[in-house]
Amino acid sequence: MKIAVMGGDGFIGWPTSLHLSDAGHDIHILDNLSRRWIDTELGVQSLTPMDSIQERTRIWHAETGRRIHFNLIDLAKDYELLKNWLSEHRPDAVIHFAEQRAAPYSMKSDRHKNYTVNNNVSATHNLLNALTELNLDTHLIHLGTMGVYGYSTVGAAIPEGYLPVGIETAGGETVSQEILYPSNPGSIYHMTKCLDQLLFQFYAKNDSLRITDLHQGIVWGTHTEQTRRHAQLINRFDYDGDYGTVLNRFLIQAAIGYPLTVHGTGGQTRAFIHIQDSVRCIELALQNPPARGARVEIFNQMTETHRVRDLAEMIARISGATIAWLPNPRKEAAENELIVRNEKFLDLGLEPITLETGLLGEIVDVAKKFAYRVDRARVPAVSAWTRDIAATINHDPEGKRLKSVS
């Protein structure tokens, strides 16, 4: 297939592009490289050294003989460029990663909130609008988030996208209907993914677009089979308080002798998936598109759930690291349960990679190798959800800040 990977320079987009190219597909990356500019804004860098996208694709071609094409296009702003590219290339599938992906970054300030909404929602709508205008029978796969469901404590299993409900009619009878599972976003970022869902429902219903929405858990891990092939193919790896995912952050903290930063009680239960499984799931979704005119296909793209404090205690046992219990910058319940249905991918043949000491060790090895690139000042999570919470944040978990003389 000819596949357009929107946001193919990113944390999931790059290994997905390599995985699908390796499988024989014709891959075209469309990206505005905004994630690299955000590194510059935040004054932080990927733990792993990253070459330019042009150099990355050159190395891939040298190693495999396969080309990955790169196009500098901003989906949120360059509508005509996007439409012209789609008209010329008419891809069989589009994989949409081109959104600002960090909840903490989306809550840093009013400017960051506006940027996240403008970028994410406009990018999604421009893509749907262009596909409709060009009458392309292209399968759109979108990387969403488990966060659209929120983190409730009702104790019931979260279904894959749709919830059966009974509605009482005016005549007193009860009729059954399936609705989108009620959204409960916990950040501006998560809210944009909820808005994406509504856009998908409309365009599938109104224009018969074929759409798959993947509600993904927190990604952990470093390598995929393809990124191991050459040092310059390595994926980006974020450790900072805005973009670093919780398990990867714990492992880096352990590797550099930094306290494991647990916020609040650590009773937040989260869904997780290894990065190798993430790219496999995207391939499975690609191979199983919905029919034209069908409703949006929704998968819960996760393989296991864990409580944050349990992860911290496990890594502390393995590494001897200490745990720092800090105020929570997020406005969320102190404790939550999370039961998730994920049978669809399992039925399609996914064999999940689960948390194992060996794989955790792999991350620690990477962290130790590149520890010289870590700016310890960027490790704490300090982007607060409200002004009141901001006043409680601990900016110095190591206790190294200079104290005034009393």
PDB file of all heavy atoms in Angstrom, residues 365-377:
ATOM      1  N   ASP A 365      19.741   0.560  30.444  1.00  0.00           N
ATOM      2  CA  ASP A 365      21.010   0.566  29.707  1.00  0.00           C
ATOM      3  C   ASP A 365      21.095   1.765  28.768  1.00  0.00           C
ATOM      4  O   ASP A 365      22.141   2.424  28.665  1.00  0.00           O
ATOM      5  CB  ASP A 365      21.166  -0.737  28.912  1.00  0.00           C
ATOM      6  CG  ASP A 365      21.413  -1.940  29.816  1.00  0.00           C
ATOM      7  OD1 ASP A 365      21.766  -1.728  30.985  1.00  0.00           O
ATOM      8  OD2 ASP A 365      21.227  -3.077  29.339  1.00  0.00           O
ATOM      9  N   VAL A 366      19.999   2.056  28.064  1.00  0.00           N
ATOM     10  CA  VAL A 366      19.966   3.218  27.175  1.00  0.00           C
ATOM     11  C   VAL A 366      20.134   4.500  27.990  1.00  0.00           C
ATOM     12  O   VAL A 366      20.883   5.410  27.609  1.00  0.00           O
ATOM     13  CB  VAL A 366      18.650   3.251  26.365  1.00  0.00           C
ATOM     14  CG1 VAL A 366      18.500   4.583  25.623  1.00  0.00           C
ATOM     15  CG2 VAL A 366      18.611   2.099  25.375  1.00  0.00           C
ATOM     16  N   ALA A 367      19.440   4.559  29.125  1.00  0.00           N
ATOM     17  CA  ALA A 367      19.526   5.751  29.969  1.00  0.00           C
ATOM     18  C   ALA A 367      20.944   5.978  30.471  1.00  0.00           C
ATOM     19  O   ALA A 367      21.443   7.112  30.476  1.00  0.00           O
ATOM     20  CB  ALA A 367      18.555   5.623  31.139  1.00  0.00           C
ATOM     21  N   LYS A 368      21.604   4.905  30.895  1.00  0.00           N
ATOM     22  CA  LYS A 368      22.983   5.050  31.377  1.00  0.00           C
ATOM     23  C   LYS A 368      23.925   5.459  30.251  1.00  0.00           C
ATOM     24  O   LYS A 368      24.830   6.276  30.450  1.00  0.00           O
ATOM     25  CB  LYS A 368      23.438   3.735  32.001  1.00  0.00           C
ATOM     26  CG  LYS A 368      22.790   3.445  33.356  1.00  0.00           C
ATOM     27  CD  LYS A 368      23.275   2.135  33.940  1.00  0.00           C
ATOM     28  CE  LYS A 368      22.680   1.896  35.324  1.00  0.00           C
ATOM     29  NZ  LYS A 368      23.093   0.581  35.876  1.00  0.00           N
ATOM     30  N   LYS A 369      23.698   4.907  29.059  1.00  0.00           N
ATOM     31  CA  LYS A 369      24.562   5.230  27.924  1.00  0.00           C
ATOM     32  C   LYS A 369      24.510   6.714  27.588  1.00  0.00           C
ATOM     33  O   LYS A 369      25.532   7.328  27.243  1.00  0.00           O
ATOM     34  CB  LYS A 369      24.153   4.392  26.709  1.00  0.00           C
ATOM     35  CG  LYS A 369      24.988   4.662  25.465  1.00  0.00           C
ATOM     36  CD  LYS A 369      24.547   3.770  24.308  1.00  0.00           C
ATOM     37  CE  LYS A 369      25.379   4.042  23.049  1.00  0.00           C
ATOM     38  NZ  LYS A 369      24.941   3.172  21.919  1.00  0.00           N
ATOM     39  N   PHE A 370      23.301   7.287  27.682  1.00  0.00           N
ATOM     40  CA  PHE A 370      23.131   8.686  27.280  1.00  0.00           C
ATOM     41  C   PHE A 370      22.875   9.606  28.467  1.00  0.00           C
ATOM     42  O   PHE A 370      22.356  10.718  28.302  1.00  0.00           O
ATOM     43  CB  PHE A 370      21.983   8.796  26.271  1.00  0.00           C
ATOM     44  CG  PHE A 370      22.232   8.059  24.983  1.00  0.00           C
ATOM     45  CD1 PHE A 370      21.505   6.931  24.664  1.00  0.00           C
ATOM     46  CD2 PHE A 370      23.221   8.484  24.104  1.00  0.00           C
ATOM     47  CE1 PHE A 370      21.738   6.236  23.481  1.00  0.00           C
ATOM     48  CE2 PHE A 370      23.465   7.803  22.926  1.00  0.00           C
ATOM     49  CZ  PHE A 370      22.727   6.672  22.608  1.00  0.00           C
ATOM     50  N   ALA A 371      23.258   9.162  29.666  1.00  0.00           N
ATOM     51  CA  ALA A 371      22.993   9.964  30.871  1.00  0.00           C
ATOM     52  C   ALA A 371      23.637  11.342  30.796  1.00  0.00           C
ATOM     53  O   ALA A 371      23.128  12.311  31.390  1.00  0.00           O
ATOM     54  CB  ALA A 371      23.487   9.217  32.102  1.00  0.00           C
ATOM     55  N   TYR A 372      24.731  11.461  30.056  1.00  0.00           N
ATOM     56  CA  TYR A 372      25.415  12.754  29.945  1.00  0.00           C
ATOM     57  C   TYR A 372      24.538  13.801  29.258  1.00  0.00           C
ATOM     58  O   TYR A 372      24.796  15.007  29.364  1.00  0.00           O
ATOM     59  CB  TYR A 372      26.732  12.592  29.179  1.00  0.00           C
ATOM     60  CG  TYR A 372      26.572  12.257  27.715  1.00  0.00           C
ATOM     61  CD1 TYR A 372      26.544  13.264  26.744  1.00  0.00           C
ATOM     62  CD2 TYR A 372      26.428  10.937  27.288  1.00  0.00           C
ATOM     63  CE1 TYR A 372      26.389  12.969  25.405  1.00  0.00           C
ATOM     64  CE2 TYR A 372      26.265  10.628  25.954  1.00  0.00           C
ATOM     65  CZ  TYR A 372      26.242  11.637  25.006  1.00  0.00           C
ATOM     66  OH  TYR A 372      26.084  11.326  23.690  1.00  0.00           O
ATOM     67  N   ARG A 373      23.481  13.362  28.572  1.00  0.00           N
ATOM     68  CA  ARG A 373      22.591  14.287  27.868  1.00  0.00           C
ATOM     69  C   ARG A 373      21.429  14.777  28.743  1.00  0.00           C
ATOM     70  O   ARG A 373      20.639  15.614  28.305  1.00  0.00           O
ATOM     71  CB  ARG A 373      22.031  13.613  26.602  1.00  0.00           C
ATOM     72  CG  ARG A 373      23.097  13.372  25.535  1.00  0.00           C
ATOM     73  CD  ARG A 373      22.545  12.518  24.393  1.00  0.00           C
ATOM     74  NE  ARG A 373      21.368  13.071  23.755  1.00  0.00           N
ATOM     75  CZ  ARG A 373      21.376  13.987  22.789  1.00  0.00           C
ATOM     76  NH1 ARG A 373      22.544  14.468  22.346  1.00  0.00           N
ATOM     77  NH2 ARG A 373      20.248  14.427  22.256  1.00  0.00           N
ATOM     78  N   VAL A 374      21.315  14.244  29.950  1.00  0.00           N
ATOM     79  CA  VAL A 374      20.194  14.596  30.822  1.00  0.00           C
ATOM     80  C   VAL A 374      20.440  15.938  31.507  1.00  0.00           C
ATOM     81  O   VAL A 374      21.500  16.160  32.090  1.00  0.00           O
ATOM     82  CB  VAL A 374      19.959  13.501  31.882  1.00  0.00           C
ATOM     83  CG1 VAL A 374      18.910  13.956  32.902  1.00  0.00           C
ATOM     84  CG2 VAL A 374      19.524  12.201  31.224  1.00  0.00           C
ATOM     85  N   ASP A 375      19.451  16.812  31.431  1.00  0.00           N
ATOM     86  CA  ASP A 375      19.444  18.046  32.219  1.00  0.00           C
ATOM     87  C   ASP A 375      18.539  17.779  33.420  1.00  0.00           C
ATOM     88  O   ASP A 375      17.315  17.717  33.285  1.00  0.00           O
ATOM     89  CB  ASP A 375      18.904  19.204  31.378  1.00  0.00           C
ATOM     90  CG  ASP A 375      18.832  20.516  32.151  1.00  0.00           C
ATOM     91  OD1 ASP A 375      19.079  20.503  33.371  1.00  0.00           O
ATOM     92  OD2 ASP A 375      18.509  21.543  31.531  1.00  0.00           O
ATOM     93  N   ARG A 376      19.131  17.596  34.590  1.00  0.00           N
ATOM     94  CA  ARG A 376      18.372  17.196  35.773  1.00  0.00           C
ATOM     95  C   ARG A 376      17.289  18.214  36.133  1.00  0.00           C
ATOM     96  O   ARG A 376      16.258  17.863  36.722  1.00  0.00           O
ATOM     97  CB  ARG A 376      19.307  16.956  36.950  1.00  0.00           C
ATOM     98  CG  ARG A 376      20.318  15.850  36.712  1.00  0.00           C
ATOM     99  CD  ARG A 376      21.303  15.729  37.855  1.00  0.00           C
ATOM    100  NE  ARG A 376      20.777  14.959  38.967  1.00  0.00           N
ATOM    101  CZ  ARG A 376      20.984  13.667  39.137  1.00  0.00           C
ATOM    102  NH1 ARG A 376      21.698  12.984  38.253  1.00  0.00           N
ATOM    103  NH2 ARG A 376      20.486  13.043  40.179  1.00  0.00           N
ATOM    104  N   ALA A 377      17.491  19.457  35.757  1.00  0.00           N
ATOM    105  CA  ALA A 377      16.502  20.496  36.066  1.00  0.00           C
ATOM    106  C   ALA A 377      15.214  20.308  35.290  1.00  0.00           C
ATOM    107  O   ALA A 377      14.169  20.875  35.663  1.00  0.00           O
ATOM    108  CB  ALA A 377      17.090  21.877  35.780  1.00  0.00           C
TER     109      ALA A 377
END
